[in-house]
Amino acid sequence: MREPLIEKLSQIVGGEHVVINESRLDEISWDALSEGRLHPEKKPATVLPLCVVLPGSAGEVREIVLLANEEKVPIIPYGGGSGLMGGALSIRPGIVVDLRRMDRILEVDGAARSVRVETGSVLESVEKRLNENGFILGHDPWTLPVATVGGAISTNSMGYRGGLYGSMGEQVLGLDAVLPNGEILHTRPVGKHSAGIDLNALLIGGEGCFGIITEATVRIFPKPEKRALSALAFESFEQGYAAIQKIFARGLTPAVVDFGDDDEKHHGGAVLYLGFEGNKEIVEAEERLALPICEQGGGRRLPQEQAEEFWRTRHVIARRFMQNRRQRRERGRDGVYRDWIHVALPGSKVLPFRTAAMEIVERHGVHLQESGLWLQPELFSMRLGAEDGGNRDAQLALEEAVYELLRLVQKMGGSMEYTHGVGVKLAPLMAEEHGYGLEVMRRIKRALDPNNIMNPGKMGI
Ligand SMILES: Cc1cc2nc3c(=O)[nH]c(=O)nc-3n(C[C@H](O)[C@H](O)[C@H](O)COP(=O)(O)OP(=O)(O)OC[C@H]3O[C@@H](n4cnc5c(N)ncnc54)[C@H](O)[C@@H]3O)c2cc1C
């Protein structure tokens, strides 16, 4: 079956854009989810894809989708492959559709404050082009140099400045997508409409299960006149959390809130990187109001160089990831399994959750390495570690702890994940997350994808 399929795909995209080299197939069969972060009893088997195709246009994407329907072969949409949940993992032999040849920036419309791009465009290249025109993208994740616009929309990703500009999904005005049945969805690129339900939402956070996004029109922002970044040390997580709550209660809008109590780095205390950006007068006014709130709440200003270093090095980890993808896949490195949770909770529940979480973590024999907040007081993270005793117990203990923590988040009215998506990692928890909502997603999926070809086995649908 493989040879005739490859022949037909070559006719669509050209033979030079069909990859069958085994080492390349192996590399692209994974994204940035490491084996050590999968629950050992719930992890799916992975396989080599049949091939990778690199289409050059939406028309070619459509032909690939029609062919996949005819042949009943799965498709796995692939952007930068930096997803952390296994959304782009190959778990059934299929066609990986690598969008990165579709990387044209089609139009920067300054008056409309929008950019129209092909979705294989890497975020950093969009950012550079916008900077030349006096704008910024706004979306600025760690993985700016590797993630694509399509991947960022499909995971509804958040970035460092998301406090001001929102998530990638919130920036989407309109998009074009090839649906699993080969039909084209085009939504109008406007900031607001009241003409039926929002069909962008079918693709935002859809992890390639509801179609392949080929083009997107995204809100952009004027280059900030000023950025004011500070680093502040607090005696405890609770003390810093209270100050952050007060900043928001005062109606201020920090672009950057990066707060954590990493014990190795902060020795019992917690550090907040706080940033405002935009119009000079507004930034100065917001900073004048926010810093005294922090200082009255026990915050101590750290040297400005520390804040600048934090900002300068924010994408370094992504460049390291690009150089060493295979190593990342391996289970527990340095004899330590690591995992983390990034959850959304009502602000009133964050501290009670943290207290309850510590008991859970201890009971499972897992170490809590850091608690943190990103962007808003509601977006809470924990980084956990478990030492490998030479068998799978550590990994099992770690993942059991993660599952219990996420179930507690759901019980407390929160959501189990706010930035990385579901993929295969969190798929087993989707029924508890959504209740009948999961059935709604499954019915939409069945209606649009009767042959179940579009990224099957992901997101629990
Ligand atoms: C070191 C590191 C740091 C990270 N930092 C952040 C961070 O700061 N914030 C954050 O939110 N995430 C972060 N991530 C996760 C990751 O970068 C994001 O999830 C990113 O948005 C994924 O984009 P991608 O292009 O790499 O997508 P991929 O990994 O290629 O794909 C992600 C999902 O989208 C689907 N997909 C891809 N392109 C399309 C398309 N055109 N149409 C439909 N479906 C598509 C795939 O099938 C998959 O399900 C980080 C990851 C790493 C490794």
Side-chain angles (χ1 to χ4, degrees):
M1 165 196 140
R2 188 173 174 235
E3 296 318 315
L5 179 76
I6 286 166
E7 181 52 40
K8 287 179 192 166
L9 287 166
S10 301
Q11 280 164 18
I12 297 172
V13 295
E16 68 277 29
H17 301 306
V18 181
V19 180
I20 49 170
N21 170 295
E22 209 160 289
S23 155
R24 180 79 187 108
L25 294 184
D26 180 54
E27 190 180 319
I28 211 159
S29 65
W30 277 79
D31 52 15
L33 170 68
S34 63
E35 291 195 39
R37 288 183 49 239
L38 279 167
H39 193 299
E41 290 166 1
K42 298 185 168 66
K43 66 176 185 185
T46 52
V47 295
L48 276 193
L50 297 171
C51 62
V52 182
V53 289
L54 292 108
S57 69
E60 288 181 5
V61 172
R62 180 165 184 268
E63 284 187 60
I64 296 165
V65 170
L66 291 173
L67 177 65
N69 270 294
E70 256 169 48
E71 307 276 340
K72 312 273 186 294
V73 180
I75 280 181
I76 303 102
Y78 205 94
S82 70
L84 286 164
M85 297 306 199
L89 224 63
S90 283
I91 54 173
R92 297 182 197 170
I95 305 165
V96 173
V97 178
D98 183 335
L99 276 306
R100 284 174 289 188
R101 251 183 88 216
M102 291 175 56
D103 62 353
R104 286 181 306 154
I105 297 167
L106 300 166
E107 188 184 9
V108 179
D109 186 342
R113 287 176 292 116
S114 67
V115 64
R116 187 163 62 88
V117 295
E118 289 184 318
T119 50
S121 308
V122 171
L123 298 171
E124 189 171 59
S125 64
V126 181
E127 177 69 17
K128 282 186 177 152
R129 170 71 181 277
L130 291 174
N131 290 174
E132 288 163 14
N133 291 264
F135 288 93
I136 60 166
L137 179 59
H139 183 55
D140 179 13
W142 295 30
T143 34
L144 192 83
V146 52
T148 59
V149 172
I153 295 173
S154 301
T155 49
N156 200 5
S157 167
M158 290 289 272
Y160 277 98
R161 297 138 116 178
L164 189 59
Y165 306 115
S167 70
M168 186 77 256
E170 285 165 329
Q171 289 185 234
V172 171
L173 298 172
L175 44 78
D176 284 6
V178 179
L179 298 178
N181 57 10
E183 295 293 339
I184 304 292
L185 176 73
H186 169 77
T187 66
R188 292 175 187 278
V190 290
K192 168 79 176 73
H193 70 79
S194 173
I197 62 172
D198 183 359
L199 289 175
N200 291 335
L202 186 62
L203 283 306
I204 293 171
E207 298 186 37
C209 297
F210 296 93
I212 300 183
I213 312 165
T214 52
E215 199 178 295
T217 304
V218 178
R219 172 70 75 219
I220 57 175
F221 304 90
K223 234 180 185 175
E225 278 174 20
K226 179 166 176 145
R227 175 173 311 113
L229 196 65
S230 316
L232 295 124
F234 291 87
E235 275 171 21
S236 65
F237 184 89
E238 289 85 346
Q239 195 186 53
Y241 188 78
I244 293 167
Q245 283 279 49
K246 282 190 186 138
I247 290 171
F248 280 80
R250 192 76 209 274
L252 305 178
T253 316
V256 182
V257 171
D258 188 302
F259 177 57
D261 66 354
D262 183 332
D263 203 32
E264 271 180 29
K265 285 196 218 149
H266 309 317
H267 316 294
V271 166
L272 169 65
Y273 296 101
L274 180 69
F276 296 93
E277 66 177 48
N279 174 283
K280 183 168 175 290
E281 284 85 356
I282 295 173
V283 169
E284 286 170 358
E286 292 211 274
E287 197 184 31
R288 253 197 324 276
L289 292 168
L291 290 182
I293 294 175
C294 291
E295 282 160 354
Q296 282 153 25
R300 179 174 51 84
R301 286 291 289 277
L302 294 167
Q304 189 56 27
E305 176 48 28
Q306 184 169 335
E308 301 305 331
E309 169 79 2
F310 157 80
W311 195 246
R312 244 193 336 268
T313 55
R314 69 193 188 283
H315 303 127
V316 166
I317 191 170
R319 295 189 205 281
R320 232 181 287 146
F321 160 72
M322 284 155 75
Q323 284 155 11
N324 220 341
R325 279 171 182 271
R326 277 214 174 82
Q327 188 194 326
R328 194 174 171 95
R329 180 198 300 187
E330 288 162 16
R331 57 186 215 107
R333 285 164 289 159
D334 346 317
V336 181
Y337 288 92
R338 294 185 181 81
D339 206 349
W340 53 82
I341 61 169
H342 293 293
V343 303
L345 277 158
S348 55
K349 301 279 174 62
V350 168
L351 292 182
F353 171 76
R354 182 169 174 269
T355 305
M358 284 178 180
E359 183 278 315
I360 293 173
V361 166
E362 200 175 318
R363 179 157 40 75
H364 285 277
V366 167
H367 308 294
L368 172 58
Q369 299 177 332
E370 183 175 18
S371 303
L373 282 186
W374 218 36
L375 308 167
Q376 297 169 15
E378 292 83 7
L379 303 182
F380 178 68
S381 311
M382 281 183 150
R383 189 158 48 81
L384 309 166
E387 268 158 50
D388 189 1
N391 53 38
R392 285 172 40 179
D393 288 352
Q395 188 179 2
L396 188 60
L398 178 60
E399 293 310 315
E400 287 284 309
V402 166
Y403 269 56
E404 195 173 335
L405 291 171
L406 297 179
R407 288 195 168 107
L408 178 62
V409 169
Q410 291 167 336
K411 268 196 210 111
M412 292 177 83
S415 172
M416 64 176 171
E417 175 61 49
Y418 74 78
T419 190
H420 294 141
V422 175
V424 295
K425 179 168 165 63
L426 298 182
L429 291 168
M430 279 291 271
E432 285 150 279
E433 178 81 6
H434 290 286
Y436 190 70
L438 181 60
E439 181 57 23
V440 174
M441 289 186 218
R442 285 179 173 156
R443 288 188 189 195
I444 295 172
K445 169 83 171 157
R446 277 203 295 275
L448 293 176
D449 190 3
N451 295 316
N452 196 23
I453 56 138
M454 199 56 87
N455 213 4
K458 308 295 167 56
M459 277 203 337
I461 47 172

